Amino acid sequence: MTETDAPVVKPGDTVEGRYRIIKALDSGGMGTVFLAEHVLIKRRVAMKVLRPELAADADVVERFMNEARAAGTLGHPNIVESTDMGFTREGIPYIVFEYLEGTLLVDEIYRLKGIPARRAFRIAHQIASALHAAHTAGIVHRDLKSENIFLTDKDERPDHVKVLDFGISRFLEAEADSGGRNTTMGTPEFMAPEQITSPDKVDRRTDIYALGVILYEMLAARRPFQNTGDAQAVLHAVVHDLPPELPHTDGPPGLSEMIVEKLLAKDPDKRYQSMRELQTAIEAFFDVSRPSGSMTPLSIPVPDTRHLTGDATTTGHSVSVASKRKSRAGLVFLVLAILALGAGGGLTLVGGKAAKPAPAAGSGELAALQSDADQLASMLDDGLRAAALRAQTIAGTPMLRAGIETDAATLKDMAATEHLFAAQPGEVIEVFALRGKDLVSLVRIPDGARGLVPPATGTVRLDAGDAGAVAVAAAPVTDQNGGVGGVLAIADRVDLAAVRRALATHARGAKLIGLAQPLVLDKSEKPGTPATIAVPSKELKAGTLSLQATLSPATPGPEHDPYGPVSYACWGIGGILVVLY
């Protein structure tokens, strides 16, 4: 080992007086990961130290810092947490992560020679959840692969996912401001075609492709395009060749088509457009798949046919008695037949006068409205969760903690230069400083937007805005001393176009009730049956919201004779008695 290759730290060293190095855990192209212990609180951590020869490369250092920024600000349970960063005595940067015990997904795949479908779905769903959080914060991973997925235990449950290594992640807003970079980065077998041909156009769908490769690899124990040592051949295949069909697995029908035709589509527009869409698809496949050996046979009821055969002894006895009394029974049959026919005629006459139109059936429309309420709840909950996560992400950034204690002008300058503060379309961000017991607005983004009234810290609220539903969330901003220095509030529109289209097919005048003012979902007014359905939101207090609409009237049914069935029965019985007579 040359002097240049020698590690900056070694077991036994103490870094910045806080972390004692215990042993080396792994070494890669960018640096070495050590097991370390905080000397005061005795907590074990993983410390990643950049290779000394790379510390002079500004691009490499920025990639290294990207990893700290992403892992330190996202705060998602399926993303490895960064707790600290700093520099060694030699000025080499390091990052401190939570210490994980478990196994890499890639090792688990090839140890078992493939992972069962239901287990693969659970793992993929957690990865999608982690990347949804990153994408919401404007971060694309760009190097998602099975080597960067760690499986650990949590609360005595296995397969808790931790996504690692955001080292080459792309911060979309920052790169958009700087014009982007035309640099191809990633692992060839997991790279999407556009990542190779147009690296400046990489977006969230690149990570969706990579997750498709991971899901394929979990099920097949191989990758769609194998790297046999010629990286250029792999890149050519990714861009031009169709992925091989997924080998037979224990997954449900349609799984191979979903992975090959949707996740691994060459055209990004043909893939799922968000990790949330992919999560929904994974949930659907999970629901229709069953654990091995748990198939429950269908239970087919056997009809009771005893009344068709009867008891031989009883039947014979009845025939014998009837033959002896035949002459006397004839007269009885005739009298009963006359009575039955007379009753039938009388009921028909009375029923004709009392006939009323049959009530219009509305069960189908009501079921459709319930489905709309469920879809509406899901869309609102997704919007509320996304707003809360984004508020927590921005509120936890170190620069905001420092800025909250300065004046408004300094914070506005910071907001203009830091990409995390860039409001997404339809979004409003406002930072408040806590001055005594009052919240004082320091900056609002975009400037000129309507001011926000933040909900209680750490909670969410739903408002009716000019353009529809608005999810509002607030998160505390800590000051340099660890106390609460202010609040960051976010308001973001919730796109309800899909539920509006569904309502228009069978309902009129639909409104969401329970907000400060009703939110109109359908303005058309026509006669029909009014109905109100609860909207089962999980993010808001139960019973808070309801969907009110007028159901489209069903086609009127034929006139209904209330005595019809009885009169028909009398006519039938009378006819039978006449035949017997």
Side-chain angles (χ1 to χ4, degrees), residues 125-147:
H125 191 274
Q126 293 178 76
I127 299 172
S129 177
L131 269 296
H132 174 70
H135 294 170
T136 300
I139 300 171
V140 178
H141 193 292
R142 291 207 298 172
D143 196 22
L144 190 65
K145 55 186 176 181
S146 51
E147 288 93 334

Side-chain angles (χ1 to χ4, degrees), residues 417-465:
T417 57
E418 291 293 334
H419 77 280
L420 276 176
F421 291 95
Q424 298 176 357
E427 184 181 69
V428 177
I429 303 173
E430 189 162 4
V431 180
F432 300 85
L434 186 61
R435 301 291 188 250
K437 294 183 178 180
D438 299 325
L439 289 177
V440 178
S441 177
L442 295 181
V443 64
R444 187 181 305 136
I445 307 167
D447 191 20
R450 182 182 300 176
L452 300 181
V453 178
T457 305
T459 65
V460 292
R461 184 183 73 238
L462 192 67
D463 290 344

